[in-house]
Amino acid sequence: MTTNPQALRSPRHDPAAALLTTPFTAHTDAREVIDGVDLTGRRAVVTGGASGLGAETVRALAAAGAEVTVATRRPRSAEPLVRELAGVDGAGPVHAAALDLSDLTSVDAFVRAWHGPLDILVANAGIMALPTRTLTADGWEMQLATNHLGHFALATGLHPRMREAGAARIVVVSSGAHLNAPFDFDDPHFERRPYDPWAAYGQSKSAGVLLAVGARRWAADGITANALNPGYILTNLQRHLDDDTMRAFGVMDDEGNLTPLPYYKTPAQGAATSVLLAASPLLKGVTGRYFEDNQEARTVTDEENPADGVAAHALDPQAADRLWEYATDALRGR
């Protein structure tokens, strides 16, 4: 281990404390936030790294010299990205590996196949707003299983490899949707309450932030974890939304063409905060916090009906510990 745990900047518990700021903006792209950073010899895993935000994260990390594994359900879909980066002068090697986060057999296989230290784990893959309640083979609601429980199993399975690295970072891609949906410990899989696609998505994204907070237990291993909201970007994440919903959001015209709104980001801009947390020296030793637009976000309460920031319920250390225990028991009982 190379990191002094006493040097770690603690999780965000005091909303009145000064927020961490950077010189970057919402319009900075992924490569710009680590311009000049040399990641040669570092190893990274990016889930869902074959397209969208994940692909831009892979591009930035590899361009800085990191060896990157694109963890995706369909490794063949990553082949164009692998070929592209093989032709980039100075880029680190990029590989593709099979990983289905909703299938814990697949997660276990990925973990068993990984050898040697892991410096960066970017929990990027996700699904959004499944129109009907869908369960995995383990009986888990699909969004919670994919967006959180699968990533939890991956992180805990790879914990020894991150500990071996000595100063590893975990990056959890959350969403502003977490603001309206605390984790429901009484009915996380919508067995009794009516299924709501957005409540299920938001809950899974609150769980992601709580994962970053709960990972403070690994601080003595030199591991830090932070979560982020990438902002509004048109990617494959919207694939489960019908045309009427996309038009209601104002991002599709009458002919079915996608029309990003002025405040939408490009995928490269959306991936910037992920890359900042994964590799910037500005985040050395920072753990258990939530960022958006390349800045640490302010903490807000449910009563504020906020449009941005991080909900207090997602930073609650007691909820984080309770969720960690819940997820651990769920994996043990499968």
Side-chain angles (χ1 to χ4, degrees), residues 57-301:
T57 302
V58 171
R59 287 186 176 100
L61 296 177
E67 176 186 342
V68 185
T69 296
V70 180
T72 176
R73 288 187 299 130
R74 295 181 295 275
R76 289 187 62 183
S77 68
E79 290 177 359
L81 181 62
V82 172
R83 289 195 298 268
E84 171 196 327
L85 290 168
V88 174
D89 187 40
V94 178
H95 321 279
L99 176 66
D100 182 347
L101 290 161
S102 68
D103 179 357
L104 292 183
T105 300
S106 173
V107 177
D108 290 343
F110 185 95
V111 169
R112 288 196 304 272
W114 187 271
H115 299 286
L118 173 62
D119 301 278
I120 299 166
L121 173 59
V122 183
N124 168 83
I127 54 175
M128 181 175 75
L130 293 181
T132 58
R133 180 175 179 261
T134 305
L135 303 181
T136 68
D138 293 297
W140 300 338
E141 191 277 317
M142 184 63 75
Q143 292 184 78
L144 183 60
T146 303
N147 298 349
H148 176 63
L149 291 171
H151 277 130
F152 179 84
L154 182 66
T156 52
L158 291 173
H159 172 229
R161 306 284 77 80
M162 290 188 282
R163 181 177 58 216
E164 184 180 347
R169 298 188 187 187
I170 300 171
V171 179
V172 182
V173 180
S174 182
S175 164
H178 87 276
L179 290 164
N180 299 316
F183 191 84
D184 189 330
F185 288 97
D186 294 326
D187 190 17
H189 301 289
F190 292 84
E191 295 173 302
R192 295 178 297 280
R193 54 180 169 147
Y195 174 75
D196 179 275
W198 291 106
Y201 178 65
Q203 171 185 248
S204 73
K205 292 302 181 177
S206 281
V209 186
L210 291 169
L211 169 59
V213 176
R216 69 191 185 285
R217 69 196 61 222
W218 291 342
D221 297 323
I223 299 169
T224 60
N226 294 285
L228 69 116
N229 171 17
Y232 292 96
I233 311 102
L234 289 177
T235 67
N236 288 337
L237 185 64
Q238 291 89 23
R239 64 188 179 275
H240 296 293
L241 304 184
D242 59 32
D243 288 355
D244 287 342
T245 300
M246 295 293 281
R247 291 190 180 98
F249 286 161
V251 294
M252 180 178 284
D253 63 22
D254 292 339
E255 285 71 44
N257 301 307
L258 293 178
T259 56
L261 296 169
Y263 56 85
Y264 272 49
K265 299 180 182 181
T266 66
Q269 291 169 337
T273 309
S274 293
V275 175
L276 177 83
L277 301 185
S280 172
L282 297 175
L283 272 293
K284 182 179 180 180
V286 175
T287 194
R289 305 193 189 187
Y290 178 96
F291 292 74
E292 54 191 6
D293 295 338
N294 295 306
Q295 312 295 331
E296 185 178 2
R298 68 188 182 98
T299 303
V300 296
T301 63

